[in-house]
Amino acid sequence: IEGPMLYSKEAAPESWPWVLAGQVEDFPHNGGVAVKHGKEEVAVFHLPGQVDEDGRWLCVQNLCPHKQVRAISRGLVGVKPEGLITLADPVYKSIYDLRTGGGISHANLNLSTFQVKVDEQGQVLVKLPPADQMADSFARQSQEAAEKKNFKPPPRGSHPDIQVPRAPKNGVNLEW
């Protein structure tokens, strides 16, 4: 899905709730974890070696904008010499700025970003839109992208051009 990100942590309304993502110890150092939010997922990254506090905990959508694979949380995190925190999609190798969600290798592919904080009890909290709103927004974005490209998914079941012979079993025809 090409175009701007749906959500930006800088533009998050105050009305969005802080959603529990887990305890600090649930998150691997220098890696990410997928966190379910309704029908959608976000990827929360814990980078304890970052000097800047805004780089220690980062959250983006877990849905790859290139092929809609839910694998962003398993991406490879890197830090450039100038301090840019990057994320490489583990499947399609697209590279993103993990702080902003901006596409680096493909400028038109962007990840939504969300605010993260850790409270006094060690709970990792993410500021997210209501789950149904988030699911509807991502579904609408996907549908609009498909229509723009005139994409029609193939019908479910057997392909009409491929005939699969089905032998009768116990005298019962298996064609349906």
Side-chain angles (χ1 to χ4, degrees):
I1 298 176
E2 295 181 347
M5 62 191 74
L6 281 178
Y7 299 108
S8 169
K9 61 184 171 186
E10 292 82 16
E14 287 298 318
S15 61
W16 284 3
W18 286 97
V19 177
L20 178 64
Q23 294 295 125
V24 170
E25 59 269 12
D26 298 334
F27 294 84
H29 288 202
N30 302 312
V33 169
V35 176
K36 193 86 166 148
H37 182 57
K39 295 179 183 177
E40 296 299 325
E41 295 177 6
V42 293
V44 179
F45 293 88
H46 182 204
L47 309 172
Q50 289 298 305
V51 177
D52 297 330
E53 186 155 337
D54 72 333
R56 289 189 199 136
W57 290 94
L58 297 165
C59 182
V60 296
Q61 71 189 52
N62 196 38
L63 190 66
C64 160
H66 181 60
K67 296 283 186 178
Q68 275 77 85
V69 175
R70 294 178 190 264
I72 294 296
S73 63
R74 291 181 239 130
L76 180 63
V77 177
V79 180
K80 301 239 180 202
E82 68 275 9
L84 179 69
I85 302 172
T86 61
L87 174 71
D89 180 318
V91 180
Y92 297 102
K93 310 305 183 238
S94 297
I95 301 172
Y96 304 93
D97 179 330
L98 193 51
R99 287 183 203 226
T100 68
I104 295 173
S105 59
H106 303 288
N108 288 331
L109 298 178
N110 298 286
L111 299 171
S112 290
T113 60
F114 305 95
Q115 295 175 27
V116 185
K117 70 178 182 180
V118 178
D119 70 10
E120 307 80 41
Q121 291 84 34
Q123 295 180 356
V124 179
L125 304 165
V126 182
K127 191 168 199 161
L128 295 171
D132 57 342
Q133 176 189 336
M134 188 169 160
D136 290 345
S137 295
F138 280 116
R140 189 171 42 257
Q141 182 188 44
S142 180
Q143 181 65 35
E144 289 169 1
E147 289 171 2
K148 185 177 178 182
K149 298 284 185 180
N150 199 25
F151 173 76
K152 304 266 188 286
R156 297 187 70 67
S158 298
H159 191 281
D161 295 337
I162 300 172
Q163 297 299 316
V164 179
R166 302 189 192 281
K169 185 174 183 178
N170 298 332
V172 177
N173 189 351
L174 297 178
E175 294 296 330
W176 56 87

